[in-house]
Amino acid sequence: PEGDLLFLESADGETRFSIAMRPSGTEPKIKFYFFAVGRCDAAEQLTETKARTEAAFVSVQDALTDWVRGVLSAQ
């Protein structure tokens, strides 16, 4: 879509991430939207795939949060 939107995607792998960032239309803040997709080749691997994807997802969120806080504290 057209507009003030930055969309980042990770390289292909077992777990892929996408992050969409845009300014709020009504408040002075930036909104982040996170997406994760884990590859699962067999139904038996679903529980393991979910756990691995969730752990990687939290790691990406935490890294971005730390980076934003670092940028803001440097100002």
Side-chain angles (χ1 to χ4, degrees), residues 8-48:
L8 305 172
E9 291 183 292
S10 68
D12 288 342
E14 278 192 11
T15 304
R16 293 177 306 170
F17 300 97
S18 301
I19 303 171
M21 295 164 274
R22 70 172 182 85
S24 172
T26 58
E27 301 172 287
K29 64 182 177 181
I30 297 172
K31 295 187 176 190
F32 293 88
Y33 302 89
F34 295 86
F35 310 91
V37 176
R39 182 177 174 175
C40 184
D41 295 324
E44 304 83 42
Q45 298 173 338
L46 185 58
T47 300
E48 177 188 335

Side-chain angles (χ1 to χ4, degrees), residues 39-75:
R39 182 177 174 175
C40 184
D41 295 324
E44 304 83 42
Q45 298 173 338
L46 185 58
T47 300
E48 177 188 335
T49 299
K50 284 182 176 182
R52 185 181 64 245
T53 301
E54 177 67 21
F57 184 73
V58 168
S59 178
V60 168
Q61 283 182 302
D62 289 347
L64 182 59
T65 299
D66 291 345
W67 178 78
V68 169
R69 286 184 177 149
V71 168
L72 293 176
S73 68
Q75 293 182 357

